Amino acid sequence: QVQLVESGGGLVQAGGSLRLSCAASGSILGINGMGWYRQAPGKQRELVAAITSGSSANYADSVKGRFTISRDNAKNTVYLQMNSLKPEDTGVYYCNAAIRRYTAPYTPLTYWGQGTQVTVSS
């Protein structure tokens, strides 16, 4: 079994900061790409930021310069530092990861966390 558990969401005023964490646990041989997505009410889930196993990152245009994604491979954890938050950043944030397990199948499988709510008030 593999699980992704997110933490760090909450309510913050516009201009504030939050740091999200997502820890992977279970029978993990290795983790390829990791990412953060968000879903606002009535909208589709969208990619916010992604990071490769070599820590190369890319971001949605709407968060460039404000959000930073990072990872700690020793802890199987990915982070999202969110600064200068805006009301339009409100939504449920999900992490995902392409994980290789010790058991079959040995190709990477994509796993999702349960989501954490981020609310930015104006």
Side-chain angles (χ1 to χ4, degrees):
Q1 282 284 54
V2 171
Q3 279 190 315
L4 298 182
V5 178
E6 298 122 334
S7 60
L11 173 64
V12 64
Q13 288 188 332
S17 298
L18 285 174
R19 188 190 194 213
L20 306 182
S21 300
C22 173
S25 63
S27 180
I28 297 172
L29 178 60
I31 302 178
N32 293 357
M34 305 181 83
W36 288 96
Y37 289 72
R38 69 185 178 194
Q39 187 165 19
K43 294 188 176 180
Q44 289 189 333
R45 191 174 298 188
E46 63 175 354
L47 176 66
V48 175
I51 187 167
T52 67
S53 57
S55 293
S56 176
N58 64 82
Y59 300 90
D61 288 342
S62 59
V63 307
K64 282 181 182 176
R66 300 188 298 121
F67 291 10
T68 302
I69 188 171
S70 61
R71 62 190 287 171
D72 184 333
N73 292 330
K75 295 181 179 180
N76 290 335
T77 300
V78 63
Y79 305 96
L80 186 67
Q81 177 66 45
M82 306 186 292
N83 299 327
S84 302
L85 282 160
K86 304 175 180 181
E88 51 263 44
D89 294 318
T90 295
V92 179
Y93 283 68
Y94 300 89
C95 71
N96 84 343
I99 294 176
R100 292 171 283 118
R101 303 188 308 173
Y102 283 106
T103 55
Y106 301 104
T107 54
L109 297 178
T110 298
Y111 292 87
W112 289 88
Q114 81 285 357
T116 185
Q117 177 70 44
V118 171
T119 303
V120 184
S121 63
S122 57

